[in-house]
Amino acid sequence: MCPSGRTLCKGGDGAEVQSELEQWVGSEGGEGAELQKRRGMDREQMTWRDLGVVGSNLAGGGTEGWLLPLLLFLILLPPVLPQCPESCHCVWESSVVMCTDAGLREFPQGIPPDTVTLHLERNYIRSLPEGVFRELTQLRELYLSHNHIESLSSGALRHLSPELRLLDLSHNQLSQASRHEFGFTRAKMRLYHNPWHCDCALQELVGTLNLEPETVNGIVCESSARGTGEGSRWDDPGGVGEHAGQALVKLLDAGVNFCSLQKKTTDVAMLVTMFIWFFMVIVYVVYYVRQNQAETRRHLEYLKSLPSPRKTQTEPDTLSTGF
């Protein structure tokens, strides 16, 4: 088997050619020294013409003179690696991209598609655009902690690889989120240290995600939906609610159900709407009846104003003739 990165193998005719190439490259004079000088130049400056001249001297001219330069060029050609994003450090052997403390204000462009682990901690990223993870089909771990993420695009996390094992969104500015924004990922989640507003949507989200057990108690309500007895939800819109400062999981374990509170509010709103609709129907019926009464009264007055019918001349004559 040929050694890694080598085109020629030892043994047979190939060994003689390789030995001749090594002797020629290692020589101090002639074309060998000239090529050693060219090895310090840019690869693009080594033209096929230069290699052809050297190959002709080795093989004595003819078509065989192009074979040796070609093999030598393949031996000296370095492996081509994908480009690493600016301000990031890439570890190609383990497919890890490090963009920690890079001063990024938005998600970096040009992440290699075969990235397995992506570190974006301690930056200034505020949002995740839709489809940003569409090309990262090999992603297993995604670290986004200690950023300024305030919202998640509806399609940002839906394109995460189904093989994702960890998603860290801790220490951000998330206040609201729904299960539709996270798609069907089953990765272990870190959502602690965010200013969460505890409501029905967050309750449903927590019930569907695979939260990291040791970080669950860190999901604390910065504010919460109003409960029964707290007054109308239109009063004091800046209020934080009675559950502010408490862990969401502990509230749910204690029997608090934000979805039932929302249902009660919806029922009350529906009753108010039905009452307004019914009141409008009654007003219309009353108006219609009164309008008809006025029309009827005018019609009767018109009939009364008409003259009474007079008797004709033939009626008395007819009666007298009968008698």
Side-chain angles (χ1 to χ4, degrees), residues 11-211:
D13 298 336
E16 297 179 0
V17 175
Q18 182 178 3
S19 176
E20 185 177 358
L21 284 173
E22 291 176 352
Q23 293 178 3
W24 174 77
V25 171
S27 62
E28 297 180 357
E31 288 82 353
E34 181 66 22
L35 182 59
Q36 286 181 342
K37 293 180 181 178
R38 290 182 179 274
R39 289 177 66 182
M41 301 171 60
D42 188 79
R43 296 285 179 184
E44 296 179 357
Q45 297 178 2
M46 295 182 65
T47 63
W48 288 102
R49 180 179 178 276
D50 299 328
L51 294 175
V53 173
V54 176
S56 299
N57 294 333
L58 281 175
T63 58
E64 294 82 357
W66 291 99
L67 179 61
L68 295 177
L70 177 60
L71 296 177
L72 182 62
F73 181 77
L74 294 176
I75 293 173
L76 300 177
L77 186 67
V80 179
L81 296 177
Q83 187 177 3
C84 189
E86 188 177 358
S87 303
C88 300
H89 173 67
C90 299
V91 183
W92 303 113
E93 293 79 7
S94 55
S95 298
V96 176
V97 178
M98 303 287 297
C99 303
T100 307
D101 291 312
L104 300 174
R105 298 190 176 274
E106 58 183 14
F107 196 88
Q109 301 294 325
I111 300 293
D114 59 346
T115 299
V116 174
T117 304
L118 179 57
H119 289 270
L120 291 166
E121 304 100 317
R122 293 188 292 277
N123 284 289
Y124 304 98
I125 301 174
R126 292 186 174 273
S127 63
L128 298 177
E130 184 174 355
V132 69
F133 302 108
R134 190 187 301 271
E135 303 297 331
L136 304 179
T137 58
Q138 306 297 322
L139 199 60
R140 299 294 183 274
E141 297 179 2
L142 177 59
Y143 298 90
L144 288 163
S145 63
H146 295 88
N147 277 280
H148 296 173
I149 300 176
E150 299 176 349
S151 61
L152 301 173
S153 175
S154 59
L157 302 180
R158 290 190 207 172
H159 301 291
L160 285 171
S161 170
E163 302 298 326
L164 189 72
R165 296 292 176 263
L166 177 63
L167 174 57
D168 189 356
L169 284 168
S170 61
H171 294 275
N172 277 283
Q173 299 299 317
L174 291 171
S175 60
Q176 293 182 326
S178 65
R179 56 184 176 180
H180 302 289
E181 296 168 354
F182 285 82
F184 300 98
T185 179
R186 299 304 304 166
K188 188 173 292 185
M189 295 283 178
R190 295 175 182 173
L191 299 176
Y192 61 97
H193 284 297
N194 280 282
W196 290 111
H197 175 73
C198 294
D199 57 2
C200 184
L202 185 61
Q203 178 178 328
E204 293 178 347
L205 175 65
V206 170
T208 57
L209 294 181
N210 181 22
L211 297 174

